[in-house]
């Protein structure tokens, strides 16, 4: 009879950890199927799944829906290197235009979502506006694949928050606030604003929506970037937030010297 109950997965954990440690299971090697593990260890499906979940949580294996689990590759270099930057381009008339460094790499794979909401405490602080200020939101699901389904590429969500005061200040955004980053930057410069940017990044456990939309492997985190666009006086104009799987991914930032704070 199959064993059940709390802690029955420990022999599976110990054995597979040892096999990974001593090289019996090499990086990239697939683990036996659930049925194979059940038969080998004499455990229930529930217990085997709990063992797999814990191995994934420890970062030892990667779970692929519908295919199984394999030993996480050991590498000092991430397979995916995403450059986070804003490029500047000098025009013949002496003005500058700005583009997002990631624009050529990522492609929309769904119709963007557009709606209006009110600023939460978190968004109000980030945008320098009172709580409940009306915000225009532009949601996009992107992939590195240019195929219609985007099935073979990595995925990223990109969300833009534009507060009503910015739309009041920039007529083009009052007419249509739902734009791509490059279009937003152009609208600001056309209005005589010189944009500046500050970005932060953090890792967090994926929410259920992240796991589904981004195809995040079990046990992996999500990288969240927040880019705040301000004017030269430091007044926030808009906020962009991206989310992508942290699995095998690193973000690269070009650095420019800044004045040391007093």
């Amino acid at each position: 009879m199959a064993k059940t109950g709390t802690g029955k997965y420990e022999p599976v954990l110990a054995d597979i950890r040892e096999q990974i440690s001593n090289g019996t299971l090499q990086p990239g090697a697939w683990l036996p199927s659930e049925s194979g593990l059940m038969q080998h260890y004499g455990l229930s499906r529930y217990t085997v799944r709990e063992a797999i979940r814990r191995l994934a949580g420890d970062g030892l294996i990667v779970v692929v829906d519908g295919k199984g689990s394999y030993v996480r590759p050991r590498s000092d270099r991430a397979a995916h290197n995403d450059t986070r930057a804003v490029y500047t381009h000098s025009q013949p008339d002496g003005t500058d235009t700005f583009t997002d460094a990631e624009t050529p790499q990522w492609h929309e794979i769904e119709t963007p979502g557009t709606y209006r909401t009110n600023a939460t405490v978190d968004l109000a602080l980030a945008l320098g506006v009172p709580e409940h200020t009306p915000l225009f939101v532009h949601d996009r699901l992107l992939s590195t694949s240019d195929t219609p389904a985007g099935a073979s590429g990595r995925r990223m969500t990109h969300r833009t928050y534009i507060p009503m005061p910015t739309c009041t200040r920039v007529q083009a955004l009052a007419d249509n606030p739902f734009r791509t980053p490059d279009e937003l930057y152009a609208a600001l410069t056309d209005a005589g604003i010189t944009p500046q940017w500050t970005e932060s990044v953090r890792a967090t456990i994926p929410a259920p929506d992240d796991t589904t939309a981004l195809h995040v492997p079990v046990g992996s985190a999500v990288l969240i970037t927040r880019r705040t666009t301000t004017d030269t006086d430091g007044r926030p104009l808009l906020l962009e937030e991206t989310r992508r799987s942290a699995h095998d991914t690193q973000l690269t930032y070009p650095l420019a010297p800044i004045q040391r704070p007093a």
Side-chain angles (χ1 to χ4, degrees), residues 93-249:
D93 62 2
T95 61
D96 290 331
T97 59
F98 305 95
T99 59
D100 188 313
E102 292 196 303
T103 294
Q105 180 183 3
W106 297 88
H107 312 272
E108 290 182 1
I109 57 174
E110 286 186 1
T111 302
T114 57
Y115 56 95
R116 205 181 90 167
T117 188
N118 295 324
T120 61
V121 173
D122 175 47
L123 291 172
L125 290 172
L127 287 165
V129 296
E131 189 180 356
H132 307 304
T133 295
L135 304 176
F136 294 99
V137 185
H138 189 197
D139 268 337
R140 299 189 298 152
L141 178 61
L142 311 174
S143 173
T144 54
S145 170
D146 56 6
T147 60
S152 61
R154 293 186 298 131
R155 291 187 168 198
M156 174 175 74
T157 57
H158 183 280
R159 176 176 294 173
T160 307
Y161 298 95
I162 303 179
M164 184 68 77
T166 299
C167 296
T168 302
R169 185 176 176 185
V170 181
Q171 183 58 47
L173 299 184
D175 296 336
N176 176 22
F178 306 117
R179 301 170 182 254
T180 65
D182 293 356
E183 293 169 344
L184 289 171
Y185 305 158
L188 294 175
T189 55
D190 289 345
I193 298 172
T194 302
Q196 299 180 341
W197 296 272
T198 302
E199 188 154 296
S200 62
V201 60
R202 65 187 177 91
T204 187
I205 298 172
D209 288 348
D210 294 330
T211 302
T212 302
L214 302 176
H215 298 170
V216 180
V218 175
S220 292
V222 168
L223 291 176
I224 301 176
T225 68
R226 272 192 167 185
R227 177 182 293 171
T228 305
T229 304
T230 64
D231 60 18
T232 51
D233 293 325
R235 290 177 293 185
L237 300 168
L238 58 96
L239 176 68
E240 300 171 60
E241 182 178 280
T242 70
R243 291 173 178 249
R244 73 196 79 195
S245 172
H247 172 61
D248 215 12
T249 297

